[in-house]
Amino acid sequence: MKYALLALALCLAAVGCANEVYERNLQYMTAPTYEAEKVIVAQRLDAAQAELSKAQASGDPDRIKKATADFNVAKAKARSVENEERRRTRKY
């Protein structure tokens, strides 16, 4: 069961899903799965931010547009994880 939830979390992180669905799925994750998801989201945000910086340095508009979209998705997921962290610790 634990590995099934971890696989679900990884699948959701890799595929990308609507933010509302992602937020709802975060609520159903067990503590270890949720902690693993937090690490994955943080890594994806860092990678997206680095790619956006590289794209902006290159000056290629298509690359900048794609990197910006990827960064915005990663940032939205990071915000969702932050909100779930507040909900779990009751720090509103």
Side-chain angles (χ1 to χ4, degrees):
M1 180 71 174
K2 177 175 136 181
Y3 294 108
L5 290 175
L6 181 59
L8 173 65
L10 293 174
C11 178
L12 292 174
V15 172
C17 56
N19 203 34
E20 300 83 28
V21 174
Y22 181 72
E23 288 175 356
R24 191 171 345 133
N25 287 335
L26 284 174
Q27 294 176 5
Y28 294 108
M29 289 182 185
T30 61
T33 306
Y34 173 70
E35 292 300 321
E37 181 68 10
K38 280 184 4 182
V39 171
I40 292 167
V41 168
Q43 290 172 346
R44 290 189 76 203
L45 182 61
D46 290 342
Q49 189 171 17
E51 181 57 34
L52 180 58
S53 295
K54 290 177 187 175
Q56 289 172 337
S58 75
D60 181 13
D62 292 334
R63 186 174 172 194
I64 293 171
K65 186 176 180 179
K66 182 184 179 314
T68 301
D70 291 344
F71 177 72
N72 288 337
V73 168
K75 193 165 120 180
K77 287 191 177 196
R79 259 188 262 127
S80 296
V81 168
E82 184 179 313
N83 291 339
E84 178 61 17
E85 183 71 21
R86 281 192 209 124
R87 188 191 72 77
R88 286 180 183 229
T89 59
R90 308 251 189 257
K91 293 181 181 175
Y92 296 97

